[in-house]
Amino acid sequence: MKKTAEMKGLLDPSLMRKTIVDAFRKLNPGSLWRNPVMLVVEFGSILTTIIAFISAFQHSGFWFNLQITVWLWFTVLFANFAEALAEGRGKAQADSLKKARNDAIANRLLPDGSTESVGATSLVKGDVVLIKDNEIIPSDGEIIEGVALVDESAVTGESAPVIRESGGDRTGVTGGTHVLSGTIHIRITAGMGETFLDQMIAMVESSSRRKTPNEIALEILLIGLTALFIVVTLTLRAFAGYMNVTVAAPVLVALLVCLMPTTIGGLLPAIGIAGMDRLIEHNVIALSGRAVEASGDVSVVLLDKTGTITLGNRMATEFLAAEGITEQQLMESSVLASLADDTPEGRSIVTLAKQRLDIRGRDIRAPQGSTFVPFSADTRMSGIDYGNRHIRKGAVDAIEQWVKENGGQFPETVHALVDGVGREGGTPLVVSDGASVMGVIRLKDVLKQGIKERLSQLHVLGIKSVMITGDNPLTAAAIAAEAGIDDFVAQARPETKLNLIRKYQSNGSMVAMIGDGTNDAPALAQADVGVAMNAGTQSAREAANLVDLDSNPTKLLDIVEIGKQILITRGSLTTFSIANDVAKYFAIIPAIFAAKYPQLAVLNVMHLHSSASAILSAVIFNALIIPSLIPLSMRGVQYHPSSANALLWRNLLIYGAGGLALPFVGIRLIDLLLVAIKVVR
């Protein structure tokens, strides 16, 4: 069903009409110079056109020269058609994306607290806008206050609305999405033309797509082969003259075009563009073509736990008081330490405590003269200071160090509580009042749906998965086991992630990193493939080279498969292109020399009718094979997880042997058809 839908998309009448026009437009040498192989074919076509025009007045070989000329022009047009079709699909996607952009009216906040209505196009980085129910988010930004239910279907295609809120790692919002309910303040982080939607549109329109290193290397190879065959053809002309064999210029041009790797030369741009389009179909923005290609060689994947493997909304479920401390005392201290904590975890602690204390609906205020201590990645704790009390809430090792610095001892009974929470897959937060440990708050992490099943497929691809988290080792081990992760690193700081990536890279591994928080930014920038969740922070998205609009970490599997598919498709069609040139040697070489040297007729293994039909059949097959392979280059060669050796043999068997055999059959059938319809004698 999927292939049928793809073919219907390729055969869309409006797309086909535009593609045909674009194929002719690309005949302009100023446009074709980016494809040197086809540029040489075009120059050859121009030469044979001139010769055919002259021969029309000389009444010598006009019909043969005309046929050669027509099919050489078709060769160029078919190559242009392949590229134009890939670009056309991308531009069609871009047109649909542009509909998601809305010149909305934004309520920009002024320094005095009032608002002014301005067009979305006039917003600049740093502006703060107020957005309420049923309003369009005018541009990319980060929520700095409030929480809202956002419909992102216009951008991601996902119908289910999502929650975006200040604090934590789900602050990012995308221009063109729709606030269903809630009131939020957004700080604009992208100017006009710089939003992710703009980047997405620019990428799928293909004109700004940069060639990847692998594509450039292959293009250099094709240019080298083309130059080699130009020399061979010119040399052959000299040898033929020495052997008293006259070779007409159109025949030499036909020989050159058939010997050059025109098949892969014509399809190479389409393969790259179609690969990027497939990435867009999975709602992934590629900010670097190099990253897409590198994803095909990834061997290690580093995943941040919170917001990537888990939903990120850890909820407080239980208060476990230390020995000598009542549950009410623990809850009161926990609430005070969480009043300034605007994260989902902090709010859930306050909510649970109010339920247990039966004070629902009432505000809890901090004591007068209090000073809040915000959470930081370095200290990994937060709290409140007032009077002689210094209440802290945070990671186990951070609170343990804090207690010791204040002259206290961390009770073994609390260690036992922490271990118990960790073994059950929860996340323990410890609360202390100065040197006194009050107890433990149990937070429950929830795995993202389908994460275990998708990550298990990484094993099949031979990719090692490593979870990185700031949690204690017991909690990390429980989550890793539940998600099916190969390895984990617990109690990690931002520099831990960075150093781990460098360690794997120094061992020759290609590393992919998935993250969504500000503390993930250095690691995302260092990784060979950095995938940021669109719902994450702006700094994470700026550091990454791929952005997942669906904020789904399992998307990495799709990214890796697309990367491998691009590499395999390019390699398979290159193998096919080089292999199918062999049959053309057996068609054209005997046709040139057999008349003078009949013994060379033994090379006519296809038993072609005549020299003219042999040359013309080879040229026609060379032209027709390009459009025949367009669906494959657009869809990509299917990737089957297996070893590199197995992939090599499969490639040689199908595209090497197939590319060798098919032209013998194809050229012979074309020869029979030409004779049957009396195109040649």
Side-chain angles (χ1 to χ4, degrees):
M1 291 295 292
K2 184 177 180 181
K3 291 182 179 180
T4 303
E6 287 178 353
M7 288 305 299
K8 286 182 179 179
L10 289 177
L11 298 177
D12 179 71
S14 61
L15 177 60
M16 293 297 291
R17 285 193 297 270
K18 190 175 186 306
T19 298
I20 292 171
V21 172
D22 287 343
F24 279 94
R25 187 179 293 117
K26 287 178 178 291
L27 289 175
N28 179 1
S31 172
L32 203 61
W33 71 268
R34 292 175 298 177
N35 191 339
V37 175
M38 301 317 299
L39 183 63
V40 172
V41 178
E42 182 174 51
F43 285 150
S45 304
I46 293 172
L47 177 61
T48 57
T49 300
I50 295 172
I51 293 173
F53 181 77
I54 294 173
S55 64
F57 294 97
Q58 296 177 346
H59 305 289
S60 174
F62 168 71
W63 179 237
F64 176 75
N65 292 340
L66 178 63
Q67 291 179 86
I68 292 290
T69 299
V70 169
W71 284 106
L72 289 181
W73 279 114
F74 271 128
T75 302
V76 183
L77 283 171
F78 287 151
N80 289 348
F81 180 85
E83 182 176 5
L85 184 60
E87 290 181 352
R89 291 184 69 195
K91 289 175 180 177
Q93 288 179 336
D95 290 339
S96 65
L97 288 171
K98 287 175 182 177
K99 295 177 182 177
R101 291 197 297 192
N102 191 311
D103 191 12
I105 299 299
N107 296 314
R108 181 163 57 189
L109 289 173
L110 300 176
D112 61 3
S114 61
T115 61
E116 63 173 346
S117 296
V118 297
T121 55
S122 64
L123 294 173
V124 297
K125 291 181 181 179
D127 281 350
V128 177
V129 297
L130 173 66
I131 302 175
K132 300 179 181 179
D133 295 357
N134 298 317
E135 292 184 350
I136 299 294
I137 295 175
S139 184
D140 290 1
E142 283 194 291
I143 300 176
I144 59 175
E145 183 180 331
V147 58
L149 189 65
V150 181
D151 176 8
E152 297 184 339
S153 59
V155 175
T156 67
E158 177 58 52
S159 59
V162 295
I163 294 176
R164 297 288 178 255
E165 57 192 339
S166 61
D169 293 330
R170 298 201 303 170
T171 62
V173 290
T174 305
T177 56
H178 178 209
V179 173
L180 297 178
S181 65
T183 300
I184 51 177
H185 290 177
I186 294 176
R187 179 181 292 112
I188 302 300
T189 56
M192 207 59 198
E194 300 174 350
T195 67
F196 277 98
L197 193 56
D198 289 319
Q199 293 179 42
M200 193 173 182
I201 291 169
M203 192 191 78
V204 299
E205 284 182 330
S206 303
S207 59
S208 61
R209 187 187 70 91
R210 296 182 180 180
K211 295 178 180 178
T212 64
N214 182 275
E215 192 174 352
I216 292 172
L218 181 56
E219 191 172 86
I220 292 173
L221 172 64
L222 298 183
I223 293 173
L225 290 174
T226 299
L228 174 64
F229 286 123
I230 289 175
V231 173
V232 169
T233 305
L234 294 176
T235 305
L236 185 66
R237 174 73 180 269
F239 275 115
Y242 177 77
M243 299 168 68
N244 295 319
V245 175
T246 302
V247 184
V251 173
L252 281 176
V253 173
L255 175 63
L256 173 62
V257 171
C258 288
L259 295 184
M260 289 192 310
T262 50
T263 304
I264 186 62
L267 295 174
L268 186 59
I271 294 170
I273 295 170
M276 301 293 275
D277 288 345
R278 285 196 296 276
L279 202 64
I280 282 295
E281 290 171 0
H282 287 79
N283 285 334
V284 177
I285 298 176
L287 306 179
S288 164
R290 184 188 298 268
V292 180
E293 208 165 80
S295 66
D297 294 321
V298 163
S299 55
V300 178
V301 176
L302 273 59
L303 305 100
D304 182 53
K305 188 200 70 163
T306 305
T308 303
I309 296 174
T310 63
L311 290 174
N313 282 347
R314 297 182 300 179
M315 306 297 291
T317 59
E318 189 177 4
F319 294 99
L320 303 171
E323 188 175 349
I325 303 295
T326 66
E327 185 180 15
Q328 181 169 341
Q329 289 175 319
L330 171 60
M331 288 190 289
E332 289 174 350
S333 296
S334 300
V335 168
L336 289 172
S338 304
L339 286 177
D341 186 353
D342 199 33
T343 64
E345 293 89 347
R347 289 197 293 270
S348 73
I349 291 171
V350 175
T351 300
L352 180 62
K354 289 171 69 175
Q355 291 174 352
R356 295 287 178 84
L357 295 171
D358 197 24
I359 52 174
R360 304 178 194 182
R362 289 167 48 192
D363 289 334
I364 301 177
R365 299 182 180 275
Q368 191 171 3
S370 300
T371 302
F372 290 112
V373 179
F375 175 85
S376 73
D378 292 327
T379 63
R380 293 186 297 132
M381 60 183 178
S382 60
I384 186 173
D385 293 335
Y386 69 95
N388 294 323
R389 299 187 67 182
H390 305 282
I391 302 175
R392 295 293 184 270
K393 172 202 69 183
V396 179
D397 60 323
I399 296 297
E400 184 172 7
Q401 182 179 349
W402 165 261
V403 169
K404 290 179 179 178
E405 289 175 355
N406 282 271
Q409 291 294 323
F410 199 90
E412 287 300 322
T413 53
V414 176
H415 270 303
L417 292 174
V418 168
D419 293 345
V421 172
R423 280 193 299 269
E424 295 173 6
T427 300
L429 288 182
V430 181
V431 180
S432 73
D433 189 344
S436 174
V437 179
M438 306 296 290
V440 177
I441 305 171
R442 184 197 299 270
L443 300 180
K444 177 61 178 175
D445 287 290
V446 180
L447 292 182
K448 288 194 172 181
Q449 187 175 6
I451 185 74
K452 183 175 182 178
E453 291 74 15
R454 294 302 302 276
L455 290 180
S456 67
Q457 296 179 45
L458 291 176
H459 296 282
V460 181
L461 298 176
I463 299 174
K464 179 180 181 180
S465 56
V466 181
M467 182 184 76
I468 304 177
T469 177
D471 288 334
N472 66 75
L474 288 175
T475 300
I479 294 296
E482 187 179 354
I485 299 292
D486 293 324
D487 198 3
F488 66 89
V489 177
Q491 297 177 338
R493 296 175 180 269
E495 58 269 22
T496 306
K497 304 175 185 180
L498 188 61
N499 293 334
L500 187 62
I501 290 175
R502 288 172 176 168
K503 176 184 175 182
Y504 279 116
Q505 289 174 331
S506 66
N507 293 332
S509 298
M510 294 287 283
V511 182
M513 167 73 187
I514 306 176
D516 58 358
T518 300
N519 62 339
D520 295 325
L524 288 169
Q526 177 67 34
D528 299 291
V529 180
V531 184
M533 304 293 102
N534 189 46
T537 60
Q538 181 69 15
S539 56
R541 289 182 289 177
E542 290 177 350
N545 42 39
L546 296 171
V547 178
D548 175 20
L549 293 177
D550 294 331
S551 300
N552 179 4
T554 63
K555 192 73 65 66
L556 176 70
L557 192 63
D558 298 322
I559 296 171
V560 169
E561 288 182 349
I562 290 172
K564 289 183 180 294
Q565 194 177 48
I566 292 174
L567 295 175
I568 290 172
T569 302
R570 203 176 285 151
S572 298
L573 292 184
T574 300
T575 302
F576 181 91
S577 178
I578 294 174
N580 72 22
D581 286 341
V582 175
K584 301 167 193 174
Y585 305 154
F586 287 93
I588 296 182
I589 298 299
I592 294 175
F593 294 101
K596 183 72 175 179
Y597 299 94
Q599 58 268 34
L600 290 179
V602 70
L603 296 177
N604 184 16
V605 296
M606 288 176 280
H607 303 290
L608 302 178
H609 180 263
S610 64
S611 296
S613 71
I615 295 170
L616 190 56
S617 297
V619 172
I620 292 174
F621 177 85
N622 191 68
L624 292 179
I625 197 64
I626 294 176
S628 300
L629 291 174
I630 287 177
L632 180 62
S633 65
M634 298 285 285
R635 187 179 65 250
V637 175
Q638 188 173 3
Y639 170 68
H640 298 283
S642 56
S643 65
N645 191 49
L647 285 173
L648 175 62
W649 280 108
R650 179 174 176 270
N651 187 44
L652 290 176
L653 179 63
I654 297 177
Y655 297 97
L660 187 65
L662 181 62
F664 282 94
V665 177
I667 291 174
R668 174 59 176 162
L669 291 176
I670 293 172
D671 176 76
L672 292 174
L673 180 61
L674 293 178
V675 174
I677 62 177
K678 298 181 180 181
V679 172
V680 294
R681 294 184 176 88

